[in-house]
Amino acid sequence: MEWADELAARVTGPQVVNDSKTPSGTVHVGSLRGPVILDVIARALRAAGHDTTLLYGVDDLDPMDAQALLTPDAVGRYMGVPLAHIPDQVDDGHASYARHHAGVFIDTFAGLGIQPDRYYWMSEQYAAGDMDPYIRTALDRADRVRDVYRRVANVRHPDTWHPVSVICEQCGRVGTTIVTQWDGERAFYECRPDLVTWAHGCGRSGWVSPFGGRAKLPWNLEWAAQWSLFGVTIEPCGKDLATAGGSRDRSDAIAREVFEREPPINVPYEFLLIGGRKMSTSKGQGVPAHRIAEVVPPEQLRLLFLRPRPNHAIEFEPEGTDAIPRLFDEFDRLAAATAGRPVKGELPPGYAAVFRYSLVDPNADPAAEASAFRISFRRAAMFVQGRLDTDQRAAEEKGSALTDGQARMLKERLVAAGRWLELYAPPNERFVVARVAVPGSARALNTGQCRFLRTLADDVERTTPRTGEDWQAVLFRTAESVGLEKRLAFAAVYAAFLDRPDGPRAGWLVADLFAEDSEFVLKRLREAAAGGTLVP
Ligand SMILES: [Zn+2]
Ligand SMILES: [Zn+2]
């Protein structure tokens, strides 16, 4: 986390931090890495005393292009049309396709504690004429732009190529047009049927004024023009754009040579990989950002993106794995370490800052947050599947009543665990207590296991253990006293209560059931030990 504080230490003067996104369709969870990094940079700058403005833009005059085809949302007849000019395909009140997908994505920001000072929409900037000076400069210096492309990216445009795309007056497409002449006020464009493979132009050609929203700059020039328009000083970008000769290099060169301004400081960041694959935008089977934000609470989601340095990829596969429980465990571990408690395993460098920047509220007291009592995620998942008064049970484990804040945190984890069990958890994390009758698998227990269950019933009737830890100790002690392998002892417990060979931590499972109904537990242990239902 020192990277953000180091960055804040080496800049001077007021800072403008910017990022923008093309709303091609449903936005994948990995796309949250940029906004989280952006927010941490802004927090670090402000903590260092810099006057800081955080901007977030939507590149909504971009056409629906090949990128949209990677999402489940592309609409064939609008290929090549600016995203801001395509009707919302979901009937929920947004003004356009762009407003819908950008809106659903941006709506996750506030919950994550990311609060840009201002959002901007490029369709509005163009329409207001804010981009006109840059369009004029780019056209006047078209030869210099072509030269930059040739030198930096080895892309050779013909001498007639001009760096602006007119929105076709006939078919409304912007992805299919090319400008071949510029007379100082008007541009001559052609809407070509075969300019790109993913959209077909209508064949129209003519002279038009490229100003006031009738045309847009190609991405590399638009990016550089944004830096000039907003005075951007720092802009992180994804690794795919930061390659040698790639998008960022081109825009940097255009900023210097065409718009005559030093480009902002770059903070390149790596991808979030799902099952080892990069997913920039969601395919049908991907994980949309707004969906994951419904399952993973904000502080754990921030941690997901902040634990590795920006230049390290993140592996995250929530589907059918324990990736989400592990994320919570890591959060709790960093909290414990920050609070000065001993923890297992190696700690990441700057772990206290990682914890601090994971908090949603930038003004929260990290020491108080770190030492707060938390029920583990896995324990919350057991609570959700039981029938307990969870506040009371949690208070017993804490040793005193929960504060309001702790009760809120417990509620948050119960909701998260419930959603996780519903959507992502592997089948063995879900369990149902066989409450009505002794399950079938208990009939297959061997004599050693039956003796274990009988002895266990006698022991707990006498000692009435209360907590999961107490119960865990009794299970171990009893297994040892009857000379039964621990593996077989635990299997007997799972068979008796869950009708399966494994399950969540046995001590806590039975402790919860015992707290709820001790008679049921004693009866079930004896019934299972007898190989069937006990006749009273
Ligand atoms: Zn909508
Ligand atoms: Zn056209």
Side-chain angles (χ1 to χ4, degrees):
M1 225 49 234
E2 301 89 342
W3 64 265
D5 297 323
E6 281 164 13
L7 175 64
R10 77 182 161 95
V11 297
T12 52
Q15 298 295 315
V16 177
V17 190
N18 179 61
D19 193 7
S20 67
K21 171 118 194 98
T22 302
S24 303
T26 303
V27 183
H28 173 255
V29 58
S31 297
L32 281 170
R33 192 172 197 181
V36 170
I37 285 177
L38 207 65
D39 174 66
V40 166
I41 291 172
R43 288 188 190 192
L45 290 169
R46 285 175 180 143
H50 298 289
D51 177 12
T52 301
T53 307
L54 179 55
L55 297 178
Y56 196 84
V58 183
D59 303 319
D60 61 340
L61 214 57
D62 289 4
M64 180 172 279
D65 63 6
Q67 201 58 34
L69 294 172
L70 299 175
T71 78
D73 311 300
V75 191
R77 72 175 184 284
Y78 291 118
M79 292 304 293
V81 175
L83 297 164
H85 298 174
I86 300 170
D88 188 0
Q89 301 296 300
V90 183
D91 186 19
D92 62 354
H94 296 97
S96 68
Y97 179 96
R99 290 272 166 178
H100 178 87
H101 292 292
V104 169
F105 182 54
I106 283 170
D107 281 350
T108 63
F109 288 13
L112 284 168
I114 303 166
Q115 274 155 350
D117 297 291
R118 191 159 77 78
Y119 289 98
Y120 61 89
W121 299 76
M122 287 311 293
S123 60
E124 294 180 349
Q125 302 290 339
Y126 278 104
D130 298 337
M131 296 295 280
D132 290 354
Y134 306 101
I135 292 174
R136 181 178 293 282
T137 302
L139 287 170
D140 287 347
R141 298 179 176 174
D143 56 340
R144 210 176 294 179
V145 175
R146 290 190 292 264
D147 182 53
V148 167
Y149 273 96
R150 197 169 52 243
R151 273 187 293 110
V152 178
N154 201 23
V155 170
R156 285 171 189 278
H157 287 297
D159 288 348
T160 52
W161 180 89
H162 285 69
V164 73
S165 301
V166 168
I167 299 171
C168 177
E169 299 153 286
Q170 183 163 284
C171 73
R173 292 190 171 81
V174 70
T176 51
T177 66
I178 182 165
V179 165
T180 52
Q181 297 175 68
W182 162 241
D183 70 3
E185 284 304 325
R186 294 175 313 152
F188 183 80
Y189 78 100
E190 296 166 31
C191 183
R192 292 187 182 163
D194 58 352
L195 186 70
V196 292
T197 54
W198 38 266
H200 298 283
C202 68
R204 168 97 173 197
S205 63
W207 286 93
V208 291
S209 161
F211 301 124
R214 282 183 290 271
K216 81 180 286 294
L217 292 168
W219 167 238
N220 295 130
L221 286 100
E222 184 174 294
W223 200 3
Q226 285 174 354
W227 297 337
S228 289
L229 180 61
F230 302 118
V232 178
T233 58
I234 299 175
E235 178 153 344
C237 82
K239 193 194 86 164
D240 52 338
L241 303 177
T243 53
S247 217
R248 182 66 180 233
D249 274 0
R250 300 176 200 189
S251 293
D252 281 0
I254 286 163
R256 289 192 184 101
E257 299 180 37
V258 180
F259 299 133
E260 296 175 353
R261 181 188 187 277
E262 200 44 35
I265 294 172
N266 188 9
V267 181
Y269 56 86
E270 266 281 358
F271 299 122
L272 176 133
L273 306 169
I274 299 226
R277 281 168 301 131
K278 179 218 162 192
M279 301 185 83
S280 58
T281 22
S282 162
K283 285 183 196 270
Q285 73 276 22
V287 184
H290 64 280
R291 191 59 29 81
I292 205 80
E294 289 168 5
V295 182
V296 182
E299 299 187 329
Q300 285 73 38
L301 198 47
R302 289 177 67 96
L303 175 66
L304 170 67
F305 295 110
L306 295 181
R307 191 183 185 278
R309 290 180 67 94
N311 59 355
H312 285 90
I314 300 169
E315 286 279 353
F316 184 64
E317 171 58 278
E319 195 79 52
T321 71
D322 65 350
I324 289 176
R326 277 192 284 114
L327 189 55
F328 278 85
D329 290 348
E330 179 64 357
F331 183 88
D332 294 354
R333 198 174 75 97
L334 295 186
T338 302
R341 295 198 295 273
V343 296
K344 283 185 192 154
E346 221 174 287
L347 286 164
Y351 63 86
V354 173
F355 176 75
R356 177 162 49 88
Y357 281 123
S358 296
L359 299 174
V360 171
D361 178 1
N363 302 313
D365 173 6
E369 294 292 331
S371 56
F373 171 78
R374 289 177 176 82
I375 284 286
S376 78
F377 184 82
R378 286 169 204 273
R379 190 76 183 99
M382 291 177 71
F383 279 172
V384 169
Q385 299 181 83
R387 296 199 297 204
L388 290 155
D389 176 343
T390 49
D391 275 13
Q392 193 209 320
R393 195 74 184 134
E396 282 171 13
E397 294 185 9
K398 180 194 166 197
S400 62
L402 300 187
T403 65
D404 287 352
Q406 291 162 359
R408 254 198 318 279
M409 202 153 17
L410 172 62
K411 182 96 196 340
E412 182 180 81
R413 291 195 172 195
L414 292 173
V415 170
R419 295 288 284 157
W420 175 69
L421 287 163
E422 191 184 317
L423 295 172
Y424 296 121
N428 63 1
E429 298 279 355
R430 301 192 187 100
F431 65 86
V432 177
V433 177
R435 292 179 188 272
V436 180
V438 178
S441 56
R443 296 178 200 284
L445 297 176
N446 66 30
T447 40
Q449 288 174 306
C450 290
R451 190 184 320 126
F452 162 75
L453 292 178
R454 200 161 39 242
T455 313
L456 181 64
D458 293 344
D459 190 325
V460 297
E461 193 169 31
R462 217 173 40 248
T463 59
T464 60
R466 189 77 200 154
T467 67
E469 273 169 41
D470 294 344
W471 266 92
Q472 200 78 352
V474 175
L475 292 176
F476 279 116
R477 192 173 67 221
T478 309
E480 204 171 285
S481 75
V482 299
L484 182 66
E485 226 182 293
K486 284 180 192 71
R487 183 176 56 82
L488 294 174
F490 281 89
V493 171
Y494 294 126
F497 291 99
L498 304 182
D499 196 16
R500 44 186 259 193
D502 55 20
R505 301 175 76 192
W508 281 261
L509 172 74
V510 197
D512 286 350
L513 292 170
F514 194 70
E516 180 192 306
D517 184 350
S518 58
E519 287 305 311
F520 164 71
V521 171
L522 291 173
K523 182 158 173 279
R524 174 57 56 83
L525 288 173
R526 287 178 174 135
E527 283 172 347
T533 306
L534 279 182
V535 182

